[in-house]
Amino acid sequence: MKRPFSSTRPAPTDSLRSVMRTLGLGSLRLRIAAFTFFSLVGGLSQAVLLVLISEVAVAEVEGKHSIHALGRSFSPTSAIIVSFLALVFFLSTSIFGALVSTSVSERALTGTRTRVVIGFFRSSWSFQSTERLGHLQQLLTMNSTATGQAVQNVSAGLQSLMMVSGLLGVALTVDPAAAIGVIGVGIVLSLMLRPLNLRSRRANRELSKTTRAMATQVTEYTRLSRDFRLFGVETRVMDTLRRLIQDTGHVYRRTQMLSQTVPILYQSFALGFIIIAIVFLAGAGHGRFAELGAILLLVLRSVSYGSNIQSSIQGLRASQGLLEDVTRELGR
């Protein structure tokens, strides 16, 4: 039987992967693999739906009785039927993804809390007696909750990545040059935003440290409130706690600003590239409205999912410091 806690000190937790592995999430690989597969199917279904809707709309405007899309010909009626089937696939895979994501998050949360509790009670009395008041409760609440939130962010980011892959995969069949251009733009944007992502990571680690210090200090001061009143130092204590709370608030504001700014910048830059591409194509005499319309729909949805990926990355950065605290304490 696999023990839920090991006294062996974990490896350095410089990467999120090592953190998640230390928290025992490797046993969920099968569920994550199924989630990945169905997310990819959902992305392909959505891409097929968007292309067919675009082609049907153009066919209706131009009075065509045949539609050529995805390497084959459709009648408007058959295209609508296939679109409806693609919609059903997209809906069902999305619901399945939500079920798997919440299940994995619950397993991560309860597993982390179990490991913390068992690890504490299996340790020696000399270790237990040195624990600061409220420290274990903090690990079971704020830090453990961060595990569930991190898994949710991983699931959301992975789902968005698979959606983007499906959309761009279909875009390659419609217009390979445009799809390759979109992929190149995505890589460039990721490199451009890398410095902000690194700053966000450092800021979130600082937030974890200051929040932990504030929570521990408040717990200890609350226990000593009677002594503080007896010696008449309540005002000094309140000033100290007020400064701690304000310092934590400043760090929180900085991390939230970075977390919200990065996805906005990604989406804005991506849309700017699309506008430039449209102007370039118009100037080059690219008049195939049907193909261009389908590509634009796919690219716009890809930009939306790309923004979701950036939001998931920022969410992971926000949880990483708390997760590293948990793995460090389990090792201790």
Side-chain angles (χ1 to χ4, degrees), residues 171-189:
L172 282 169
T173 66
V174 178
D175 193 328
I180 293 173
V182 171
I183 294 172
V185 169
I187 294 174
V188 171
L189 287 179

Side-chain angles (χ1 to χ4, degrees), residues 12-54:
T13 56
D14 292 332
S15 69
L16 187 64
R17 177 187 296 179
S18 64
V19 172
M20 305 299 274
R21 184 171 58 248
T22 303
L23 294 177
L25 300 181
S27 60
L28 303 176
R29 287 195 187 99
L30 184 60
R31 294 190 185 190
I32 295 174
F35 174 79
T36 303
F37 172 75
F38 281 100
S39 296
L40 181 58
V41 172
L44 291 171
S45 301
Q46 183 180 188
V48 171
L49 173 64
L50 292 174
V51 170
L52 290 179
I53 287 176
S54 172

Side-chain angles (χ1 to χ4, degrees), residues 41-311:
V41 172
L44 291 171
S45 301
Q46 183 180 188
V48 171
L49 173 64
L50 292 174
V51 170
L52 290 179
I53 287 176
S54 172
E55 297 288 353
V56 168
V58 173
E60 289 297 325
V61 171
E62 298 180 351
K64 294 181 179 179
H65 300 288
S66 178
I67 297 170
H68 184 76
L70 305 174
R72 59 175 302 174
S73 295
F74 298 90
S75 67
T77 301
S78 61
I80 291 175
I81 293 174
V82 174
S83 299
F84 180 77
L85 293 175
L87 176 61
V88 172
F89 267 101
F90 173 69
L91 177 62
S92 56
T93 53
S94 297
I95 292 176
F96 175 80
L99 291 173
V100 174
S101 175
T102 53
S103 173
V104 172
S105 297
E106 183 270 335
R107 288 280 299 273
L109 175 63
T110 56
T112 301
R113 285 175 172 169
T114 300
R115 289 161 66 86
V116 169
V117 169
I118 292 178
F120 177 78
F121 282 101
R122 279 184 175 173
S123 61
S124 64
W125 165 246
S126 60
F127 169 82
Q128 294 177 3
S129 62
T130 60
E131 282 298 279
R132 301 182 70 177
L133 186 66
H135 186 211
L136 185 63
Q137 289 85 343
Q138 182 181 346
L139 291 175
L140 290 174
T141 53
M142 186 168 61
N143 292 78
S144 295
T145 301
T147 305
Q149 293 173 344
V151 173
Q152 286 280 15
N153 282 308
V154 169
S155 300
L158 184 60
Q159 185 178 42
S160 296
L161 179 61
M162 291 299 101
M163 292 291 184
V164 170
S165 300
L167 291 167
L168 293 181
V170 173
L172 282 169
T173 66
V174 178
D175 193 328
I180 293 173
V182 171
I183 294 172
V185 169
I187 294 174
V188 171
L189 287 179
S190 297
L191 293 175
M192 288 174 58
L193 296 176
R194 180 174 172 78
L196 286 178
N197 281 322
L198 293 176
R199 287 185 59 187
S200 177
R201 180 178 181 178
R202 290 193 295 268
N204 278 294
R205 281 179 170 170
E206 183 182 356
L207 178 62
S208 173
K209 180 179 178 181
T210 56
T211 302
R212 182 174 66 251
M214 180 196 68
T216 303
Q217 199 77 18
V218 168
T219 302
E220 293 182 344
Y221 279 12
T222 302
R223 187 185 182 189
L224 298 172
S225 59
R226 182 179 178 181
D227 296 333
F228 292 148
R229 175 168 296 186
L230 180 63
F231 290 100
V233 293
E234 289 174 304
T235 301
R236 188 180 304 173
V237 170
M238 286 188 291
D239 290 340
T240 300
L241 292 179
R242 187 181 294 112
R243 284 194 297 271
L244 278 174
I245 293 172
Q246 289 175 347
D247 291 342
T248 305
H250 294 328
V251 179
Y252 173 80
R253 182 178 61 187
R254 186 163 65 251
T255 57
Q256 289 299 304
M257 185 64 185
L258 286 170
S259 297
Q260 295 180 32
T261 299
V262 172
I264 293 173
L265 289 175
Y266 177 90
Q267 192 166 24
S268 299
F269 287 150
L271 292 174
F273 275 114
I274 291 175
I275 294 173
I276 293 173
I278 292 174
V279 172
F280 176 78
L281 290 173
H286 194 290
R288 296 175 299 167
F289 179 77
E291 291 185 14
L292 183 60
I295 286 293
L296 284 178
L297 282 175
L298 295 175
V299 170
L300 287 173
R301 289 302 295 157
S302 298
V303 169
S304 176
Y305 284 119
S307 180
N308 292 340
I309 293 173
Q310 291 297 324
S311 297

